[in-house]
Amino acid sequence: MKAALVGADGTLLYEARRATGRERGPDAVVETILGFAAELRAYGEERYGESAAAAGVAVPGIVDAEQGIAVYAANLGWRDVPMRALLGERLGGVPVALGHDVRTGGLAEGRIGAGRGADRFLFVPLGTGIAGAIGIGGAIEAGAHGYAGEIGHVVVRPGGPECGCGQRGCLETLASASAVSRAWAAASGDPAADAADCAKAVASGDESAVRVWQDAVDALADGLVTALTLLDPRTLIIGGGLAEAGETLFTPLRAAVEARVTFQKLPEIVPAALGDTAGCLGAGLLAWDLLDTPGRAAAPAASETLTTEVTA
């Protein structure tokens, strides 16, 4: 878990981290979130002489942001957690925003990170899986049911590896950091090898690593071209662990995407700028947005919002 105090301009004023502790069960995780937030609020009062004006929390899984409910998170073991109500009660009734972890990260990248100034962007973090956040006019499009942006479950290799979603050949089974780690462990014969090791081997010219890497890049390019055909983003922001390989990823990826486009407009493809603070900063921006909502009662003036991001 990452928690922070965030200024109105998105400045990270203070940050703290704590183990999620999912092995203790879903109820214990929820209680830790509430306690962590309360501690951070108390720190803000001591440090700045006033309480946070609002709170934002970003969680993985299925999220009903309008109702403030964390609907389902397989890795955390929870269902239908009324997160907004619980956190509001623990924090003395301040406004609370609830968001999906990837979409809040995308919000931060779009407003204050790599997508700043882009009216339309797509944020794609390449980690354990692959997700996406669709940015339009400074906001993130969640879709009619909150499922928009799930690019990791676009099938790019029909009949390919089985995915946890029930399909075969999904993008995240072939191009996520986890997928590259599995492929390189098998190719290298080292069960402990991971995607970072593969990237290093690619940089050193290892032919087996180059084949593994290029297979992942080709699959990723296929998925991204499908997305940009549908969405026509001005900027394509790539983040997550795999993006840490830098130009080892971006040089062949840009070439592969360019080779696949025909009538589509090629977006600018850039690395994410905010790293693993994106979700926490995005939760802070959601909290500030609450205070700017027309018709909402004005909150006491304060220099910060309180945010928490929970990862599995």
Side-chain angles (χ1 to χ4, degrees), residues 106-128:
L107 180 68
E109 285 289 352
R111 287 197 194 170
I112 59 176
R116 185 196 295 250
D119 55 345
R120 283 173 170 77
F121 67 87
L122 177 63
F123 170 58
V124 181
L126 310 173
T128 304

Side-chain angles (χ1 to χ4, degrees), residues 48-157:
Y48 295 100
E50 57 188 351
S51 181
V57 58
V59 298
I62 300 171
V63 177
D64 184 339
E66 288 190 6
Q67 299 299 318
I69 297 172
V71 178
Y72 176 67
N75 289 337
L76 295 175
W78 64 31
R79 287 183 180 272
D80 298 323
V81 178
M83 190 66 71
R84 184 169 65 198
L86 292 172
L87 197 56
E89 181 180 357
R90 183 66 64 94
L91 296 176
V94 301
V96 176
L98 176 68
H100 181 268
D101 55 351
V102 172
R103 287 197 287 270
T104 57
L107 180 68
E109 285 289 352
R111 287 197 194 170
I112 59 176
R116 185 196 295 250
D119 55 345
R120 283 173 170 77
F121 67 87
L122 177 63
F123 170 58
V124 181
L126 310 173
T128 304
I130 296 178
I134 303 165
I136 303 174
I140 300 298
E141 172 57 51
H145 307 95
Y147 293 1
E150 290 291 350
I151 185 177
H153 297 291
V154 170
V155 174
V156 294
R157 299 290 183 270

Side-chain angles (χ1 to χ4, degrees), residues 209-254:
V210 169
R211 284 194 294 272
V212 168
W213 196 258
Q214 193 61 50
D215 285 346
V217 167
D218 286 341
L220 180 57
D222 287 340
L224 292 177
V225 169
T226 297
L228 68 89
T229 302
L230 292 170
L231 302 172
D232 187 27
R234 198 173 306 278
T235 304
L236 183 55
I237 306 168
I238 307 296
L242 214 58
E244 294 176 6
E247 288 306 312
T248 299
L249 173 67
F250 283 93
T251 296
L253 179 61
R254 291 184 183 111

Side-chain angles (χ1 to χ4, degrees), residues 171-270:
L171 178 60
E172 73 173 40
T173 68
L174 297 152
S176 64
S178 296
V180 174
S181 293
R182 289 192 298 269
W184 180 233
S188 66
D190 179 2
D194 61 14
D197 297 321
C198 185
K200 292 175 184 175
V202 170
S204 69
D206 186 293
E207 292 184 1
S208 295
V210 169
R211 284 194 294 272
V212 168
W213 196 258
Q214 193 61 50
D215 285 346
V217 167
D218 286 341
L220 180 57
D222 287 340
L224 292 177
V225 169
T226 297
L228 68 89
T229 302
L230 292 170
L231 302 172
D232 187 27
R234 198 173 306 278
T235 304
L236 183 55
I237 306 168
I238 307 296
L242 214 58
E244 294 176 6
E247 288 306 312
T248 299
L249 173 67
F250 283 93
T251 296
L253 179 61
R254 291 184 183 111
V257 171
E258 185 172 3
R260 285 162 171 76
V261 299
T262 54
F263 66 89
Q264 304 95 332
K265 292 293 186 181
L266 190 67
E268 184 181 13
I269 301 176
V270 299

